[in-house]
Amino acid sequence: MKIDKNTILKFDRPGPRYTSYPTAPEWSKQINAQTYQEKLKQFGKTNKTLSLYVHIPFCESLCYFCGCTMNVRKNENRYGDEYIDHLETEIDLIAHHIKRKPIVRQLHWGGGTPSFFSEEQMTRLFKKIAKNFTIDTTGEIAIEVDPRRVTKHKVETLRKLGFNRISIGLQDFDEIVQKHVNRIQPFSMVREFNNWCREVKFASINFDLIYGMPYQTQKSFAATVKDVISLHPDRIALYSFAYVPWLKKHQNKLHENKLPSTDEKLEIFLDSRDAFLQNGYDAIAMDHFALKDDELSKAFQQGTLHRNFMGYTVKPADEYIGLGNSAIGYLEKAFFQNYKTIPEYYRFLKQNEFPVERGKELSKDDDMRQWVIKSLLCQFVIDKKNFTKHFSEDFDKYFHHEQNHIQKCNTDDLIQVHDDKIIVTDLGKIFIRNICMGFDWYLRQQNSHQKFSKTV
Ligand SMILES: C[S@@+](CC[C@H](N)C(=O)[O-])C[C@H]1O[C@@H](n2cnc3c(N)ncnc32)[C@H](O)[C@@H]1O
Ligand code: SF4
């Protein structure tokens, strides 16, 4: 499907990515370690499965564009050891409250840069997790890796440990861009790294790209995309550059006057999208692409996709636990987030307390809207009868305030409205966040204090 610039401009406005509903700005300190303990105990009494996220915040050098929760550290073992000591305490505390070894359907190590850890440290942490949780080896066991600092041996170790999916921070191959953003990573290095990953047979290799950074042009990024396609990754995440120098001070090091204009940024996105579609990839919602035979593409086509904080997945679990600073979990209809800074995260664990900073317990209305938003994001449909079955409410009556939004989306060709179903069109799949926004109660409130990046 071709999308033109005007269509994008029409829908390009700030909005949440809906990795959660209610979104993180609505969470508060009312939800604390005490609530978390209760929910863990409650979860322990069920036989529900888990997604487990582990945040590893360290990076050896700073990429000036970075928007992640990370800390730059020289790669000395002591930083990794100290952090794993605290992760182990957190795991022990969790195990103490749930009193069983839940099945983990999805394990994701993100960052920062998880590959910052030495092989010994990775092995130590993986074993600790495997001792306290039952890792489903057919599940998604994924890790984010910075190709600049990984040896072939480390890749082999990751695979032996049980990781079956790997995600590479690639961003851009252009030398000028790389130099300017302080991330030198030549094509030959990534090609070699990609070969190692293939040799050890990762089930899926993902590349992260960012468009909209300084010095990027339509021409330069087209060359990056061509090189990416030549390496044939199974999945590609094409992120719109979030330029937030007021939040991430180091982004002030970037030459603002070299940022591509909004028009050029859009062209870069459209060119890249076309190139991926013409070369065997499916567009999975706005910013993800996957080879047609990748299970993500199949799930997207069959409407069996799922989504959580870790992105789209084909292996849904019932609940989520996050480990590490800033990590997020969702248990028994409540969100939890750990303290963001490492000293705060350590401080609580040293006293054998959960380092939970904030969260949100879902109201009935939150739960209903979460159901609708999830259904839109993953199945691209709202089945009204199913909604009634779940919540004993008539969909159209309950969402009478949303009828204008539904009509507008219908007129804009984002959805088709039927008596018992709302079906998202191909265009709507691309702008799915815009459809979801109309069901977000908090966005409608005048005092909404949220600030989001644009959808493109
Ligand atoms: C948490 S990072 C982990 C990857 C790893 N640290 C690396 O860079 O190789 C995940 C991805 O977030 C994306 N990212 C980081 N900062 C961003 C920003 N300001 N705007 C958009 N995407 C960003 C990058 O594509 C990066 O690969
Ligand atoms: S992009 Fe990745 S490697 Fe670079 S600073 Fe951010 S988290 Fe670290």
Side-chain angles (χ1 to χ4, degrees):
M1 184 194 39
K2 273 263 180 218
I3 319 176
D4 62 61
K5 215 160 73 181
N6 289 335
T7 309
I8 292 197
L9 284 174
K10 185 166 160 189
F11 298 118
D12 181 22
R13 58 191 180 103
R17 306 177 73 82
Y18 292 113
T19 46
S20 71
Y21 181 83
T23 53
E26 303 304 335
W27 304 359
S28 79
K29 283 185 184 274
Q30 277 170 355
I31 299 295
N32 51 28
Q34 179 67 32
T35 336
Y36 193 42
Q37 283 178 24
E38 286 158 18
K39 296 288 183 180
L40 282 168
K41 279 188 191 149
Q42 206 179 322
F43 167 74
K45 290 181 190 141
T46 69
N47 57 4
K48 289 180 181 172
T49 58
L50 266 188
S51 275
L52 193 61
Y53 173 75
V54 189
H55 189 73
I56 294 137
F58 303 114
C59 301
E60 279 179 70
S61 63
L62 176 67
C63 309
Y64 296 159
F65 58 80
C66 183
C68 308
T69 305
M70 55 80 204
N71 294 70
V72 177
R73 294 279 183 275
K74 287 250 179 307
N75 194 355
E76 290 174 23
N77 275 343
R78 63 188 170 113
Y79 292 116
D81 286 343
E82 188 185 20
Y83 193 73
I84 296 175
D85 288 345
H86 289 84
L87 284 174
E88 289 194 338
T89 307
E90 195 180 7
I91 292 171
D92 287 339
L93 276 171
I94 289 168
H96 172 76
H97 283 91
I98 56 182
K99 298 196 185 338
R100 68 180 176 100
K101 272 181 73 172
I103 294 173
V104 172
R105 307 255 295 147
Q106 193 191 13
L107 174 63
H108 189 107
W109 291 17
T113 308
S115 52
F116 175 93
F117 283 164
S118 67
E119 290 172 44
E120 292 71 28
Q121 288 169 336
M122 287 180 171
T123 307
R124 175 183 161 200
L125 179 57
F126 203 95
K127 281 191 175 157
K128 177 74 184 179
I129 294 172
K131 199 171 159 206
N132 289 276
F133 301 91
T134 311
I135 301 174
D136 172 1
T137 50
T138 65
E140 285 187 353
I141 309 175
I143 184 162
E144 292 169 14
V145 166
D146 177 347
R148 289 172 299 170
R149 294 189 176 86
V150 178
T151 59
K152 184 172 186 195
H153 199 268
K154 204 174 220 179
V155 171
E156 288 166 355
T157 300
L158 289 176
R159 191 71 189 94
K160 273 189 208 139
L161 279 176
F163 287 100
N164 53 27
R165 285 167 178 75
I166 194 159
S167 179
I168 304 169
L170 195 146
Q171 330 306 356
D172 191 310
F173 276 131
D174 186 82
E175 277 178 32
I176 297 171
V177 176
Q178 288 194 355
K179 191 162 167 250
H180 180 69
V181 301
N182 196 35
R183 183 166 180 140
I184 307 290
Q185 187 176 289
F187 176 72
S188 55
M189 177 196 279
V190 177
R191 184 179 51 202
E192 186 178 41
F193 179 83
N194 189 54
N195 288 342
W196 298 337
C197 294
R198 298 225 172 265
E199 275 171 36
V200 294
K201 297 198 174 9
F202 276 96
S204 177
I205 302 175
N206 174 77
F207 286 1
D208 286 343
L209 299 176
I210 305 181
Y211 69 97
M213 292 197 294
Y215 291 93
Q216 283 180 331
T217 62
Q218 254 179 291
K219 195 168 164 221
S220 77
F221 206 72
T224 288
V225 165
K226 195 166 169 233
D227 284 345
V228 165
I229 291 170
S230 76
L231 298 178
H232 215 59
D234 303 278
R235 298 176 190 178
I236 297 157
L238 177 63
Y239 294 121
S240 165
F241 176 44
Y243 181 57
V244 285
W246 60 94
L247 287 179
K248 301 282 171 186
K249 298 280 180 248
H250 54 256
Q251 288 189 351
N252 284 307
K253 290 177 190 280
L254 299 171
H255 296 172
E256 194 176 14
N257 60 345
K258 293 294 177 188
L259 285 166
S261 65
T262 308
D263 252 26
E264 193 164 21
K265 189 174 173 186
L266 278 181
E267 296 291 355
I268 293 174
F269 170 74
L270 287 174
D271 288 354
S272 312
R273 185 177 187 276
D274 283 351
F276 292 136
L277 296 187
Q278 282 162 24
N279 283 279
Y281 290 88
D282 274 337
I284 314 287
M286 189 79 207
D287 44 17
H288 283 72
F289 298 85
L291 285 175
K292 283 193 190 307
D293 59 357
D294 187 273
E295 53 185 354
L296 202 65
S297 273
K298 288 182 191 155
F300 172 74
Q301 300 301 351
Q302 291 158 7
T304 54
L305 208 59
H306 291 265
R307 185 173 165 82
N308 56 37
F309 317 109
M310 297 160 240
Y312 281 106
T313 175
V314 291
K315 305 277 182 193
D318 301 314
E319 310 276 340
Y320 308 91
I321 283 181
L323 302 171
N325 66 314
S326 78
I328 292 173
Y330 178 74
L331 276 181
E332 304 292 340
K333 300 211 185 290
F335 289 105
F336 300 91
Q337 183 167 31
N338 281 347
Y339 278 93
K340 286 199 180 128
T341 69
I342 296 176
E344 283 172 305
Y345 172 71
Y346 285 177
R347 184 158 62 88
F348 286 90
L349 286 167
K350 280 197 190 348
Q351 297 159 12
N352 244 355
E353 283 174 27
F354 281 114
V356 172
E357 181 178 18
R358 61 174 186 159
K360 176 90 185 168
E361 181 127 38
L362 267 63
S363 66
K364 173 110 192 280
D365 180 74
D366 291 337
D367 195 20
M368 289 156 109
R369 290 175 191 273
Q370 183 197 54
W371 189 92
V372 169
I373 287 174
K374 243 186 176 168
S375 182
L376 281 168
L377 280 169
C378 302
Q379 273 82 54
F380 304 105
V381 69
I382 301 172
D383 186 326
K384 297 181 188 175
K385 279 191 188 148
N386 229 340
F387 176 86
T388 306
K389 224 159 87 192
H390 261 81
F391 299 107
S392 307
E393 294 272 2
D394 179 77
F395 177 86
D396 287 318
K397 267 198 203 142
Y398 191 80
F399 290 109
H400 62 275
H401 284 303
E402 283 73 12
Q403 292 308 316
N404 279 347
H405 171 69
I406 293 171
Q407 284 321 317
K408 187 161 185 317
C409 289
N410 194 17
T411 316
D412 285 341
D413 197 27
L414 297 180
I415 55 173
Q416 289 168 352
V417 182
H418 302 273
D419 282 348
D420 55 355
K421 274 188 182 141
I422 292 177
I423 298 173
V424 179
T425 62
D426 282 345
L427 185 67
K429 286 177 186 172
I430 304 297
F431 297 105
I432 192 72
R433 283 157 70 183
N434 299 61
I435 307 175
C436 294
M437 278 155 73
F439 290 94
D440 183 336
W441 182 85
Y442 298 92
L443 265 192
R444 269 214 314 266
Q445 305 314 302
Q446 285 206 330
N447 293 337
S448 179
H449 43 269
Q450 307 191 9
K451 193 171 184 194
F452 299 102
S453 59
K454 283 189 169 187
T455 43
V456 181

